[in-house]
């Protein structure tokens, strides 16, 4: 077939148009990938991407969050640190990230008191956080603190044998207080015998199982705190001083059932005692969302709400259907129903109360109260069991109206360490140190002999 000049020109035009369209397609694809990046993390537990909790946290960033990484080029951690913050930036356009060589910016080092190579500065709406040890958990916790609107004051009632946020005894709350302080809470104690009122800036008042009866005037201060719309966390052990607190319970339209919750499931879990209530299934509530592990409540008591229209009540902790409130002695064999005042489970261990309240400025806001029939589950001794810590932090976040910060606990990677038995270690050593070299030597000798015979 003979091709004339006209057909040749058409072929050239077609080739040119195809080339232009192909380049344009590549440009569009490049623009789309830059504008809408998409990655797939196939590592175990997706450790090369942010956890769902961190993703949910950064989704609540409404204003620019400036992240400055002061790291020198010779720092071996520089690529890992930059990759970590790039994951945050890809999930949230409001995050602005830059990496600076500290040797070239001495003025910024002095201004922000940067002392270490690899230190990170996060700035949000006039507030800042510095991190020396940088990982996802530390960064997400710092973002949590920055997202809080102002200070969050947790005031623990003191002076009646309550659990202390400062002491380190097994029954106290020093470990919980340390966790809360790392998340931006300010913690104080308050002795009502030394003051005539509860501070107005108290975000959550914590009443942790007083062992000595409160005075009538102190009970009246607590009732005034509730009446003016204050938030309250009441952790109530069965052995708390009930005198006076009955009036507070009546004010909240709740009552505590007699006895201690007995759960046969605790013995199935290997516990020697039956007075430990295990909770594995959680009612729907913001406090317990995304909880997947058991929580443990030693010597808890059941709670009932008998109010109607004054409060909106929700259960967030409930014992198993096999449990009951044992009112007799916990010795020998115990049975359900051998006393008239015993009730079959499931029993309410934790409930929340909420209602609309109008402050002095005429603004309507949501008042929140939480009552848990156990104070031990947040103590230093039991805080590390199952989801106890998550429940405590989530509960205080809910009471502080920081619902978007609930359940932010980045997951660890499960495969960062290689655990090998001694037999496997010996097998690997024999293979690489003996069998593999010996095989290479034998293979080389065979090749040498075969070539020699030719």
């Amino acid at each position: 077939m003979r091709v004339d000049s006209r057909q040749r020109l058409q072929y050239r035009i077609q080739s040119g148009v195809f080339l232009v369209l192909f380049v344009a397609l590549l440009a569009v694809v490049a623009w789309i990938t830059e504008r809408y990046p998409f990655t797939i993390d196939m590592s175990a537990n997706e450790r090369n991407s942010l956890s769902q909790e961190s993703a949910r946290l950064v989704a609540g960033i409404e204003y620019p969050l400036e992240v400055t990484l002061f790291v020198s080029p010779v720092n071996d951690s520089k690529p890992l640190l930059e990759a970590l913050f790039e994951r945050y930036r890809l999930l949230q356009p409001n995050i602005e990230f830059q990496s600076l060589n500290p040797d070239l910016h001495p003025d910024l080092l002095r201004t922000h008191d940067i002392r270490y190579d690899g230190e990170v500065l996060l700035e949000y709406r006039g507030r800042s956080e510095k991190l020396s040890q940088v990982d996802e958990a530390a960064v997400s916790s710092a973002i949590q603190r920055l997202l809080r609107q102002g200070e969050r004051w947790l005031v623990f009632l003191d002076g009646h044998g309550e659990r202390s946020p400062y002491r380190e005894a097994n029954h106290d709350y020093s470990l919980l207080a340390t966790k809360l302080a790392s998340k931006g809470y300010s913690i104080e104690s308050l002795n009502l015998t030394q003051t005539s009122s509860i501070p107005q800036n108290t975000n959550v008042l914590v009443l942790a199982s007083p062992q000595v009866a409160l005075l009538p005037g102190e009970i009246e201060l607590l009732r005034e705190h509730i009446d003016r719309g204050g938030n309250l966390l009441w952790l109530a052990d069965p052995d708390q001083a009930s005198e006076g607190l009955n009036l507070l319970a009546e004010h909240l339209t709740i009552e505590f059932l007699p006895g201690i919750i007995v759960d046969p499931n605790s013995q199935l879990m290997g516990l020697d005692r039956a007075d430990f209530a295990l909770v594995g299934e959680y009612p729907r509530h913001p406090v317990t969302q995304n909880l997947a592990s058991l929580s443990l409540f030693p010597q808890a008591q059941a709670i009932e709400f008998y109010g109607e229209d004054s409060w909106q009540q929700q259960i967030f902790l409930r014992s198993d259907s096999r449990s009951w409130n044992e009112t007799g002695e916990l010795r020998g064999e115990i049975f359900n129903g051998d006393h008239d005042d015993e009730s079959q489970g499931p029993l309410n261990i934790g409930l929340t109360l909420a209602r609309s309240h109008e402050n002095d400025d005429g603004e309507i806001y949501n008042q929140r109260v939480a009552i848990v029939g156990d104070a031990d589950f947040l103590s230093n001794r039991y805080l590390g069991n199952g989801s106890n810590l998550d429940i405590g932090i989530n509960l205080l976040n809910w009471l502080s109206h920081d619902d978007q910060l609930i359940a932010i606990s980045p997951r660890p990677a499960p495969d960062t360490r290689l655990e090998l038995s001694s037999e496997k270690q010996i097998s690997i050593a024999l293979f690489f140190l003996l069998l593999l070299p010996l095989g290479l030597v034998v293979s080389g000798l065979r090749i040498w002999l075969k070539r020699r015979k030719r």
Side-chain angles (χ1 to χ4, degrees):
M1 180 179 178
R2 186 173 182 180
V3 180
D4 55 19
S5 58
R6 183 178 179 179
Q7 292 175 326
R8 195 175 293 113
L9 178 60
Q10 290 178 347
Y11 291 150
R12 290 177 179 175
I13 293 175
Q14 291 176 356
S15 300
V17 171
F18 173 79
L19 181 60
V20 170
L21 292 176
F22 182 73
V23 173
L25 178 62
L26 292 179
V28 171
V29 172
W31 178 83
I32 292 176
T33 56
E34 179 67 22
R35 183 76 174 179
Y36 306 102
F38 177 75
T39 58
I40 298 177
D41 188 357
M42 301 183 67
S43 60
N45 208 17
E46 297 182 347
R47 72 167 183 267
N48 291 321
S49 58
L50 296 182
S51 65
Q52 294 180 0
E53 293 84 356
S54 294
R56 186 169 60 252
L57 172 66
V58 300
I61 299 177
E62 300 177 354
Y63 302 93
L65 170 64
E66 299 180 2
V67 179
T68 305
L69 172 60
F70 295 91
V71 59
S72 61
V74 297
N75 192 325
D76 295 335
S77 301
K78 185 175 188 297
L80 297 177
L81 295 175
E82 291 179 345
L84 173 62
F85 287 104
E86 187 65 19
R87 296 169 197 159
Y88 282 93
R89 189 190 66 80
L90 291 175
L91 286 177
Q92 177 52 262
N94 286 328
I95 295 180
E96 302 171 359
F97 167 64
Q98 62 175 340
S99 179
L100 301 179
N101 186 346
D103 298 333
L104 303 180
H105 301 275
D107 52 337
L108 293 179
L109 300 185
R110 290 191 298 268
T111 301
H112 300 292
D113 193 26
I114 303 299
R115 303 182 180 182
Y116 307 103
D117 185 10
E119 199 162 358
V120 178
L121 175 69
L122 297 91
E123 298 175 284
Y124 184 75
R125 303 190 68 185
R127 301 190 299 274
S128 63
E129 286 278 342
K130 290 190 302 180
L131 297 176
S132 300
Q133 301 294 328
V134 183
D135 55 22
E136 182 186 351
V139 173
S140 294
S141 295
I143 295 176
Q144 270 190 333
R145 295 190 291 269
L146 292 174
L147 288 181
R148 296 189 186 278
Q149 299 298 320
E151 292 183 301
R152 292 292 186 268
W153 287 95
L154 301 182
V155 177
F156 285 75
L157 201 64
D158 193 16
H160 314 85
E162 296 92 346
R163 312 298 177 99
S164 171
Y166 305 117
R167 295 191 296 266
E168 298 181 356
N170 286 340
H171 63 276
D172 286 317
Y173 287 168
S174 60
L175 292 180
L176 175 65
T178 301
K179 294 289 185 180
L180 294 172
S182 70
K183 295 182 179 298
Y185 284 101
S186 298
I187 298 173
E188 292 290 340
S189 61
L190 176 67
N191 191 326
L192 292 179
T193 61
Q194 301 175 0
T195 182
S196 59
S197 63
I198 296 174
Q200 295 285 345
N201 64 342
T202 299
N203 293 103
V204 182
L205 179 66
V206 182
L207 178 60
S209 189
Q211 302 300 301
V212 178
L214 276 69
L215 300 175
E218 296 175 306
I219 296 295
E220 187 60 30
L221 288 177
L222 292 177
R223 294 178 63 174
E224 291 177 359
H225 173 75
I226 296 172
D227 290 340
R228 70 167 185 259
N231 301 319
L232 173 69
L233 172 59
W234 186 0
L235 303 169
D237 276 334
D239 61 350
Q240 67 179 356
S242 58
E243 184 179 353
L245 292 180
N246 292 332
L247 296 176
L248 182 62
E250 181 180 349
H251 195 63
L252 295 171
T253 61
I254 65 168
E255 64 177 350
F256 298 99
L257 300 186
I260 295 175
I261 296 178
V262 169
D263 188 355
N265 294 322
S266 61
Q267 295 182 340
L268 297 178
M269 298 296 294
L271 299 175
D272 295 332
R273 299 169 55 178
D275 56 348
F276 282 63
L278 298 179
V279 177
E281 296 183 2
Y282 301 94
R284 294 187 61 181
H285 194 285
V287 171
T288 54
Q289 64 179 357
N290 300 323
L291 293 183
S293 58
L294 293 170
S295 50
L296 179 67
F297 299 88
Q299 296 186 326
Q301 60 181 334
I303 311 169
E304 288 292 340
F305 174 77
Y306 59 85
E308 295 181 357
D309 299 330
S310 58
W311 294 95
Q312 181 182 0
Q313 177 248 175
Q314 277 186 283
I315 305 299
F316 69 95
L317 292 173
R318 181 179 287 137
S319 66
D320 187 78
S321 58
R322 298 177 57 196
S323 64
W324 73 91
N325 61 315
E326 176 62 44
T327 58
E329 293 187 3
L330 296 175
R331 295 180 180 177
E333 295 188 20
I334 54 178
F335 302 95
N336 181 18
D338 53 351
H339 295 82
D340 294 337
D341 51 359
E342 294 179 352
S343 301
Q344 178 67 42
L347 302 172
N348 302 329
I349 299 176
L351 59 85
T352 60
L353 307 175
R355 66 181 178 183
S356 297
H357 193 278
E358 183 177 352
N359 60 18
D360 296 336
D361 298 329
E363 298 177 349
I364 303 296
Y365 68 96
N366 189 251
Q367 180 187 9
R368 296 176 173 181
V369 174
I371 305 100
V372 182
D374 180 38
D376 283 319
F377 83 104
L378 293 180
S379 66
N380 296 336
R381 182 176 183 179
Y382 297 106
L383 187 66
N385 287 276
S387 296
N388 285 22
L389 174 60
D390 291 334
I391 291 174
I393 293 177
N394 290 354
L395 187 56
L396 287 165
N397 280 337
W398 182 82
L399 289 168
S400 301
H401 297 271
D402 287 327
D403 301 53
Q404 75 277 11
L405 303 183
I406 288 176
I408 303 294
S409 53
R411 63 188 183 280
D415 58 347
T416 54
R417 297 182 60 185
L418 179 62
E419 301 288 346
L420 295 175
S421 63
S422 57
E423 293 80 4
K424 292 181 179 179
Q425 294 180 22
I426 294 174
S427 300
I428 293 175
L430 289 175
F431 177 77
F432 284 101
L433 299 179
L434 181 62
L435 297 180
L436 183 60
L438 183 61
L440 293 175
V441 171
V442 172
S443 177
L445 288 174
R446 288 187 60 187
I447 295 174
W448 178 74
L449 291 174
K450 183 180 292 186
R451 289 179 177 177
R452 186 177 181 184
K453 292 177 179 179
R454 291 179 179 175

